[in-house]
Amino acid sequence: MSTQTPPTHSLFEYAPAPESRSIVDIAPSYGLFVDGEFVDGSGTPLKTVNPATEEVLSEVPTATDADVDRAVRAARRAFTRVWGPMRPADRGKYLFRIARLLQERAREFAVLESLDNGKPIRESRDVDVPLAAAHFFYHAGWADKLDWAGLGPGPRPLGVAGQVIPWNFPLLMLAWKVAPALATGNTVVLKPAETTPLTALLFAEVCRQADLPPGVVNIVTGAGETGRAVVEHEDVDKVAFTGSTEVGRSIARSVAGTRKRLTLELGGKAANIVFDDAPIDQAVEGIVQGIFFNQGHVCCAGSRLLVQESVHEEVIASLQRRIGTLRLGDPLDKNTDIGAINSAEQLARIRELSDIGEAEGANRWQPACELPERGYWFPPTVFTDVSPAHRIARDEVFGPVLSVLTFRTPDEAVAKANNTTYGLSAGIWTEKGSRILAIADRLRAGVVWANTFNKFDPTSPFGGYKQSGYGHEGGRHGLAAYLEGGQ
Amino acid sequence: MSPDRLAVRKTYKLYVNGAFPRSESGRTYEVADAKGAFLANAAWASRKDARDAVVAARGAFAKWSGATAYNRGQVLYRVAEVMEGRHAQFCEEVAAGEGLSSSRARAAVDAAIDRWVWYAGWTDKLGALLGGANPVAGPYFDFSLPEPTGVVAVLAPQRSSLLGLVSVLAPVLTGGNTAVVVTSRARPLPAVTLGEVLATSDVPAGVANLLTGDAAEIGPWLAEHDDVDAIDLTGAPADRAMELERLAAGSIKRVVRPPAEEPDWSADPGLTRLTPFLETKTVWHPIGL
C-alpha cells in the first residue's frame, strides 16, 4: 500500500438534494396561543428570519405583561378545573396523542425547524423531531405511574409552570419542558426563543388537533422582557429555564424569597478527552459530532478537546482531513452537515471570541470553505496551541469553534477538564474500560459520553453540575422538578 | 466529683480542618443558659474563619467523596458510638441551653444519636435507590448515579441545638459532601462538643467544620462564596433568607430554603435532606462487538 497525501476536500461532488419546503405553510403572521385560541399580542411584533437567507419568514406578536398575565390565568384555570382533577390515565392519553401527531407531522416540523433555526434538515429530521416525539411518548406513560417514581405516595403537581427555552433546539426543548410538566399534572406557559418561535406555534396547532383542553398549554412569544414577565409572574409555581448562565443567575435572583421552584439548564464548556489508546478514527468522528453538531449551538458541545500529547499530531491531522469533507450550506439540503448560524447577534459573538482567540495567541485553522453570500455563516474552526487561560478555553462560544489543549497524564486530563465553572457534559475516548470508569468518576459533569458524544434519550436524565445549572430533564429524575416533595 | 474540688472548665472553640482554633478575630461572645445565667464564652467566628473552613472543606472533598459508601457508613456509625459515650455531657448541655427537662433533653440526645445510625445505613443504598440503568433507544449502556454536590454551607437551626444540628449535618455528610456549619448562635455549646466527637470518630479533617457565631453575619459570606456549591438556609434569620438566596444565585448554588418555622426534628426526615445535595451523573457507552 502506498501512502498518499490525504485529500483536504470532499472526495465526491454532491448534487443538491433539497428537501421541499412546500410541506410547510407559513402564515404571514401568528398570534399568541392562550386558552386554546390564537390571540393578538399587545407588544410590537417581531420578525423571524431564515438565518440561511435572511428572508423574513413571518411575524409573531410580542407578549406584554398583560398578555402573559392572561396566559397564566388561563393556565391556572385549566390546572384547577380540568388538568389537575383529570384521571391520570387520561392525561397520559393526551400526551400519547401529541406524540403521534408529532410523528405524523414530522416532516413538516423538520422543514419548519430548519427554516427558522438554520440547522441541517438531516439533524432536524433525524434528531430534533423524533426525539421530541419520543419525549412525549415516554412521559405519557408516566402520567398514571407517578406513585412509582420514588417520590413518595401520591405526589402532587406544583400548578402552573413558566418555561423559557432557547433557540438551539426549539421544538426539542419545548418537548423537554412541556412533556414532563403535563405528565405530572401541571399546566404551562411557555416562551419560545425570540429568533425561533415557529415550531412552538405549530405545536400549538398540534395541541388543538389533540383536543388538549384549553389553557393546559399556552405559548407566548417575545424577547427577554416576555421571558421576564413569565418568570416573575406571581401566580407561577414553577420556573424552568434553559439558556445562558448569565440569564440563569438573574432568574435565580428573581425567584429568591418566593415559593417558586426552579430548575436551570445553563451553559457548558465540555472537555472531550482523547487518550493515546483511543480508536482514533472513531474519536475523530466523535470530536466532529461533539463540536459541529447543530453548528456548535449546543450547551453540552465538546468545545474543549483534550488530546494526550503523544497522539496530538495524528489526531489533529485526521481531524482536519475529516473537517475538510464537511459540507456547509443550505440547511434544507439533505447533504448538508453544517447549517447557518442562528442569528446575526450570535455570529457576531462567535467572530468576536474567535478573534480574541487569535489575539491571545492560539492558532486558528479553518478548511477551504465557501460561505454563501447571504445569511449568517461561520466555517468549522479549530484552535490549537490553546492555553487553559485563553477566553476560547473558558467562555462558551456556542458556535462551531473547537479549542484544542493537550495533556500528558490522566491526572492532568482530569484537572484540566474540571478547570471550568461549568459542569454539564464531558467525553472520554479510550479502549480501556477501567480507565473510562475511573475518569468518568472524577469528572464533575452531569453527562459523560464515553466513546460516543452528544447522545440524548428521554429515559436518560440530563442536567448539569456547578454553574451549568440544577435539576434534570428526562428519566425518573426529571419528574421530580414538577412534583411536590421532589427536588 | 468531690464537693471541694474546683471543676476544670472547657474552652469552647471552633472546629475547623480537624483542629480546634479560636476565632482568628479574637472575638468571643457570652453564651447563657435558658434562664440567662452565664455558661461560657464561645468563639465568635469571623469572615476569615468561614473562608478557612471552606478551604478545609474543599480540601477534604476528594477523600470523603471518593471513600467507599461502606467506609462512609462505618465512619458515620462511629460518630454515633462516640456520641453515646458522651451521652451525659450532651444531655447536660442540651438541657442547659434549651431549657429542657432532663427527660426531654435525654430524648433529644437519643434521637440525635439514632439519627447518625439511620444515616449511616443510607450511604450504600442511595446509589441503588436514586440511580440505575436507563433503557435508551439505541445500542448504548447508559446509567445514572448520585454524586455529592461538593462543599455545602449549612446554617443550622437556631432552636434545636443538637438534634436539629445533627439532622442538617448528617445528611450532607452521608451523600459524600463536606460541610461548613454555622451553629445556633444562642445555643452553640452542644455543637462544640459534637466537634470533639467528630474529631475522634475517624471523620477526616475538614469534612465537617463547625463555626460558632452569628448566621446573619457569616451567612452572606458563605452564600456568595464561589467555592461553596450549595447552601442550606434552615437556620437563617427569616428576614435575611431572601438576601441570602439572591447572593447564592451568583454562583448557581443549590439552595434549601428555610422552613416557615423550625420543624419538629424528631419526625422521620425521609430523603428530603439528602437529595438537595446530590447531583446525578449519567454515563453513556456504546454496545458493540
Side-chain angles (χ1 to χ4, degrees), chain B residues 79-103:
Chain B
V79 175
E81 289 178 346
V82 178
M83 267 186 93
E84 190 84 31
R86 295 217 194 192
H87 198 285
Q89 183 189 357
F90 277 116
C91 284
E92 209 173 292
E93 285 174 349
V94 167
E98 299 184 22
L100 299 181
S101 67
S102 62
S103 66

Side-chain angles (χ1 to χ4, degrees), chain A residues 249 440 443 448 455 465 469, chain B residues 130 140 147 250 254 257 281-282:
Chain A
R249 239 178 235 129
L443 292 173
V448 177
K455 292 288 181 286
Y465 283 29
Chain B
L130 303 175
Y140 298 91
E147 286 194 345
R254 288 80 175 115
R257 291 178 179 146
K281 179 180 281 173
T282 298

Side-chain angles (χ1 to χ4, degrees), chain A residues 23-65:
Chain A
I23 194 166
V24 293
D25 186 14
I26 303 176
S29 69
Y30 287 88
L32 308 171
F33 185 62
V34 175
D35 213 8
E37 303 288 338
F38 286 100
V39 299
D40 291 339
S42 317
T44 316
L46 293 166
K47 289 179 173 29
T48 184
V49 304
N50 178 345
T53 60
E54 299 176 53
E55 161 207 3
V56 174
L57 292 169
S58 184
E59 214 174 70
V60 300
T62 290
T64 60
D65 287 11

Side-chain angles (χ1 to χ4, degrees), chain B residues 36-275:
Chain B
F38 175 80
L39 282 176
N41 290 310
W44 181 0
S46 66
R47 177 179 187 169
K48 178 70 163 66
D49 295 321
R51 296 177 66 85
D52 289 347
V54 172
V55 170
R58 177 60 63 193
F61 179 68
K63 184 176 177 187
W64 185 243
S65 62
T68 63
Y70 179 40
N71 179 238
R72 274 206 305 274
Q74 289 181 88
V75 170
L76 297 184
Y77 182 75
R78 177 80 180 149
V79 175
E81 289 178 346
V82 178
M83 267 186 93
E84 190 84 31
R86 295 217 194 192
H87 198 285
Q89 183 189 357
F90 277 116
C91 284
E92 209 173 292
E93 285 174 349
V94 167
E98 299 184 22
L100 299 181
S101 67
S102 62
S103 66
R104 291 189 59 194
R106 197 179 322 117
V109 173
D110 289 349
I113 294 171
D114 291 352
R115 187 129 300 162
W116 284 107
V117 174
W118 193 74
Y119 277 114
W122 262 124
T123 57
D124 54 3
K125 292 154 194 81
L126 290 171
L129 202 71
L130 303 175
N134 307 308
V136 297
Y140 298 91
F141 181 57
D142 180 279
F143 64 93
S144 297
L145 285 176
E147 286 194 345
T149 295
V151 173
V152 179
V154 179
L155 306 185
Q158 296 300 328
R159 293 214 315 257
S160 180
S161 58
L162 182 67
L163 177 56
L165 170 68
V166 169
S167 298
V168 294
L169 172 61
V172 168
L173 303 189
T174 299
N177 301 284
T178 56
V180 175
V181 182
V182 183
T183 68
S184 164
R185 185 189 180 285
R187 303 167 176 179
L189 303 189
V192 180
T193 305
L194 180 66
E196 292 160 11
V197 166
L198 295 169
T200 51
S201 303
D202 299 327
V203 178
V207 167
N209 304 276
L210 305 175
L211 304 173
T212 49
D214 188 356
E217 184 195 26
I218 305 170
W221 298 324
L222 291 171
E224 70 183 355
H225 198 301
D226 272 354
D227 211 26
V228 171
D229 299 296
I231 186 162
D232 178 348
L233 299 178
T234 296
D239 58 345
R240 306 294 295 277
M242 177 170 163
E243 177 206 339
L244 290 168
E245 190 179 343
R246 290 175 74 93
L247 288 171
S251 62
I252 315 289
K253 281 180 189 63
R254 288 80 175 115
V255 175
V256 172
R257 291 178 179 146
E261 256 183 72
E262 195 174 312
D264 170 13
W265 294 106
S266 63
D268 179 349
L271 297 182
T272 54
R273 304 204 70 90
L274 283 165
T275 52

Side-chain angles (χ1 to χ4, degrees), chain A residues 32 34 63-77 160 189 218 220 226 229-230 232-236:
Chain A
L32 308 171
V34 175
T64 60
D65 287 11
D67 297 327
V68 168
D69 184 55
R70 264 201 302 283
V72 173
R73 283 167 193 272
R76 173 64 59 193
R77 261 196 315 276
V160 176
V189 175
N218 302 275
V220 290
T226 306
V230 171
E232 293 182 1
H233 195 290
E234 60 182 26
D235 202 31
V236 160

